[in-house]
Amino acid sequence: EQFDLTTGWSPRIPVLFYHSRSDMTVPSECLESVITHMPDNPCIEFMFVDSSDHYQTGNLFYTNLVYGLFKLD
């Protein structure tokens, strides 16, 4: 339960979890907990990337957002 992000809340607006499996700052177990505890919530979307760390994943996310490669609704 150390990585449980699901206690006490449930998204009511769209939430995108954008994550690298190589992220050592926010371990994959955090996102796996959300997937396990909220598998059918229509407000949650998951996107996994293969960047090497938290910083590079954040840069990739914001670059894609700025260039309109995906949109947050």
Side-chain angles (χ1 to χ4, degrees):
E1 299 301 317
Q2 176 183 358
F3 301 112
D4 185 5
L5 300 175
T6 60
T7 303
W9 74 286
S10 181
R12 292 177 283 173
I13 60 171
V15 175
L16 171 63
F17 288 93
Y18 190 84
H19 191 73
S20 169
R21 295 186 194 278
S22 301
D23 190 334
M24 300 310 285
T25 303
V26 179
S28 290
E29 290 85 0
C30 293
L31 187 53
E32 290 167 8
S33 174
V34 174
I35 293 168
T36 298
H37 291 93
M38 300 181 180
D40 298 322
N41 188 315
C43 292
I44 298 175
E45 184 176 346
F46 306 100
M47 185 176 293
F48 294 96
V49 295
D50 292 325
S51 58
S52 64
D53 63 23
H54 191 78
Y55 178 78
Q56 287 181 335
T57 302
N59 282 341
L60 183 60
F61 171 80
Y62 287 109
T63 300
N64 286 333
L65 192 60
V66 166
Y67 287 103
L69 299 178
F70 62 81
K71 297 181 190 242
L72 300 178
D73 296 325

